[in-house]
Amino acid sequence: MNPRIYLLALAAFVAGIDENLVGGILPLLSRELGVSLSAAGQLTAVFSLTFALCAAPLLSFTARVERRTLLIYALLTFAVGNLGSGLAVDYWMLLVCRIISAASCALVVVLASTLSASLVDARLRGRAIGIVFMGISGSLVLGIPLGIALSEAISWRAPFLLLGALALVIAVLLRATLPTFASRPPLSLLDYCRQLVIPKLLLAQLVSVLLLTGHFVLFAYLAPYVQKTMGIEGVSLSYLYLYFGLAAISGGFCGGWLSDRLGFRRALVLIPALFTVVMAMLPWATTSLFSFLALYAVWMALSWTISPVVQNYLLHSAPEAGEANVGINTSAMHLGVALGAALGGVVIARGSLEITPLVGALMTVFALAAACLSLLLSRPGNSAMTSGDPL
């Protein structure tokens, strides 16, 4: 595997920390900023919604910019947003800085995925994208536990300031080692919209939206959920995120491997099916520490397998519009995160924290249905599909 892919994974790692950090320090943010738990949780929803809305327009407006240069500029803007978050004087300033971070993060993640696929042969695309998503899931291993520890020991501001500094370092490393890439032919927003009127591609995007909506109904509120159901908090919570992060890293790798070995079409159905079953079982896993650790680790691993599979499916289905579809998919994923965080807030406010896994499982049933319909539509004489990936 091209070693430069690991640098792109490092950029994705920092982006993943920023997106997931708030979920780990949610109770602390709520207390320090003087806002409700639900309001603090909406920082995740706003970040992901901004990400979802900005990815396609930013890719369209920057199509003529050389891709390595664009990635470096995106990282520098990302650094500014996080440094501002660390210096925020109130909830609203933090919200604005999170929007700046999210918009730049959209470019970082999309470019990391597409450039990694450009650095390898087509037969290795799934694994290359999987490595990038291992960087994102790896943020759960080191980033979120570190964020929790820094927040508890120093301040909730410390993780944001550290992220800003890390982004600057990574920008320098990429400038020195990553090759240049040709700019893309300009695509209008209408060109992006045209991809969404192709039924099989739209349904594939919905797989990401719906599965991650289901996942984040619980994951955005995992810290208070674990505190209430298992009594785990403080430093112990950071160790728990470390454990879950290790499981998530394995999921990113397995998703890419399954996409290449089992076939991206088979994997597109298998993963939502398994995820639905596992998530429906989560409420009963809290009866003992062993069952909790075992089943929740499987849940975390499965949540990171879907992205490499869907993106590989899209790249093979419409190779001429690869960056556009991956950009849309990155927006789709973050739309799912935003919807999941928002829906979880509604469930908590009007129902109960304990039922969030069941609400999430209901959403992933729809993801499975979307996957099946997409494959059904792709079967009759679709020349864009590779002949080496039989059902």
Side-chain angles (χ1 to χ4, degrees), residues 203 207 265 268-270 272-273 313 365-379 391:
L203 287 164
V207 174
R265 286 187 280 179
L268 190 69
V269 172
L270 177 63
Y313 176 78
V365 169
F366 296 121
L368 175 59
C372 293
L373 285 173
S374 180
L375 293 179
L376 186 63
L377 292 174
S378 72
R379 295 181 74 176
L391 276 174

Side-chain angles (χ1 to χ4, degrees), residues 46-353:
V46 169
F47 185 102
S48 297
L49 184 59
T50 302
F51 192 121
L53 293 176
C54 288
L58 288 176
L59 286 170
S60 175
F61 297 152
T62 59
R64 296 185 183 276
V65 181
E66 190 273 318
R67 308 327 266 171
R68 182 187 66 174
T69 301
L70 181 60
L71 178 57
I72 291 169
Y73 285 156
L75 281 167
L76 294 176
T77 305
F78 177 84
V80 170
N82 277 281
L83 292 173
S85 295
L87 299 173
V89 296
D90 58 23
Y91 177 84
W92 296 107
M93 181 176 175
L94 177 59
L95 184 66
V96 170
C97 290
R98 293 291 288 166
I99 290 172
I100 294 171
S101 298
S104 56
C105 189
L107 282 178
V108 172
V109 173
V110 174
L111 290 171
S113 295
T114 56
L115 295 184
S116 69
S118 299
L119 290 171
V120 298
D121 295 334
R123 63 186 177 84
L124 296 175
R125 280 179 182 170
R127 273 167 277 191
I129 297 171
I131 288 172
V132 171
F133 277 90
M134 284 175 65
I136 299 175
S137 58
S139 68
L140 296 173
V141 176
L142 296 176
I144 291 183
L146 178 61
I148 294 173
L150 283 174
S151 297
E152 294 284 347
I154 304 175
S155 166
W156 63 266
R157 301 175 185 277
F160 292 109
L161 296 174
L162 180 60
L163 280 179
L166 285 174
L168 293 175
V169 172
I170 294 169
V172 172
L173 291 174
L174 288 172
R175 178 68 179 82
T177 59
L178 197 66
T180 57
F181 297 85
S183 59
R184 303 284 182 175
L187 291 174
S188 67
L189 292 180
L190 182 59
D191 293 322
Y192 281 83
C193 293
R194 288 192 182 105
Q195 300 302 311
L196 293 175
V197 300
I198 302 173
K200 67 176 182 180
L201 299 182
L202 175 60
L203 287 164
Q205 303 288 6
L206 285 175
V207 174
S208 294
V209 173
L210 293 167
L211 191 140
L212 288 174
T213 296
H215 177 64
F216 271 83
V217 167
L218 172 59
F219 186 71
Y221 302 91
L222 186 60
Y225 177 85
V226 168
Q227 288 176 352
K228 186 169 185 179
T229 59
M230 300 295 297
I232 299 174
E233 55 187 13
V235 177
S236 297
L237 188 61
S238 68
Y239 291 136
L240 186 64
Y241 269 96
L242 176 63
Y243 170 73
F244 285 156
L246 290 171
I249 284 184
S250 69
F253 176 80
C254 289
W257 182 84
L258 283 172
S259 181
D260 289 334
R261 301 290 295 181
L262 182 63
F264 49 85
R265 286 187 280 179
R266 284 196 185 112
L268 190 69
V269 172
L270 177 63
I271 291 170
L274 290 175
F275 193 86
T276 299
V277 172
V278 170
M279 195 160 193
M281 296 170 61
L282 293 181
W284 290 273
T286 57
T287 56
S288 74
L289 182 61
F290 175 79
S291 61
F292 170 76
L293 293 176
L295 197 61
Y296 277 69
V298 174
W299 169 64
M300 285 299 301
L302 285 172
S303 70
W304 289 95
T305 58
I306 193 62
S307 297
V309 171
V310 170
Q311 291 192 6
N312 199 18
Y313 176 78
L314 292 168
L315 286 170
H316 281 83
S317 298
E320 73 287 350
E323 185 176 82
N325 280 307
V326 170
I328 293 169
N329 183 249
T330 307
S331 293
M333 289 188 296
H334 290 80
L335 178 60
V337 173
L339 291 174
L343 179 58
V346 172
V347 171
I348 293 171
R350 299 188 178 181
S352 170
L353 185 63

